[in-house]
Each structure stands twice: as structure tokens, then as C-alpha cells.
Amino acid sequence: MCLAIPGKLIGISDENGLKMGVVDVNGTKTKACLEYVPEILPGQYTIVHAGFALKIIDEDEAAESLKLWQELIDSGAFEPDEEPPFPADVL
């Protein structure tokens, strides 16, 4: 299953010939490769998965997606249902 989360591009740089950016995802800054969205500009929103900005989205779409993410978090969707069947230090 792939999950992509929206963020706002706040800076662009070139790293080893690749267009890279800093994306603010709900207050957390993360690096993302911008090669799939070369026309993106600072201030625009994108969805990020596995370190890649996949497409440009508008601010309303980003806000709706972040709202849905927050509802999932608040519902406990990302909390484990039970303890793993083996000690955590084995992981």
C-alpha cells in the first residue's frame, strides 16, 4: 500500500544534478526529489511519497487531505491493535 502526504514546498536546490526541495509537511520539514514535478515553485503544494514529490496539488486539496490524515490519527488508526507475539527487541 502506498501512502502519500501533502506538503508545501518551501525551498528548491540542486543536488548532484537533481532538482530537490524542502517540503513542509504539517510543520515537519523533509527533503523531496522534485524531478517528477520540475515546474513546481516555492509556495505550491505537492504530495510526497518515499522522498519523491509526485504531483502538484492546490491548497484546498492539500487542506482536505491533511484533515483526513488528522481524522485517521485521532481515531487511533495507526495504533497497534495488540502487542507483537515476540519481544520488541527481536525486531
Side-chain angles (χ1 to χ4, degrees):
M1 177 169 71
C2 296
L3 299 174
I5 191 159
K8 184 177 187 177
L9 182 66
I10 58 174
I12 296 174
S13 63
D14 180 85
E15 292 185 25
N16 300 315
L18 292 174
K19 186 173 183 177
M20 299 293 291
V22 175
V23 179
D24 182 331
V25 176
N26 234 10
T28 300
K29 293 175 181 66
T30 187
K31 270 181 152 178
C33 179
L34 304 176
E35 290 294 319
Y36 293 138
V37 288
E39 67 281 6
I40 195 168
L41 300 171
Q44 290 183 305
Y45 288 81
T46 182
I47 55 171
V48 178
H49 172 70
F52 288 86
L54 300 178
K55 80 176 208 179
I56 298 170
I57 59 174
D58 64 33
E59 187 171 0
D60 292 336
E61 186 177 353
E64 180 63 23
S65 181
L66 287 170
K67 178 183 165 201
L68 294 172
W69 273 101
Q70 192 59 52
E71 288 175 11
L72 283 169
I73 292 166
D74 292 345
S75 75
F78 299 109
E79 298 296 322
D81 292 333
E82 57 187 58
E83 292 295 316
F86 44 83
D89 62 341
V90 174
L91 300 175

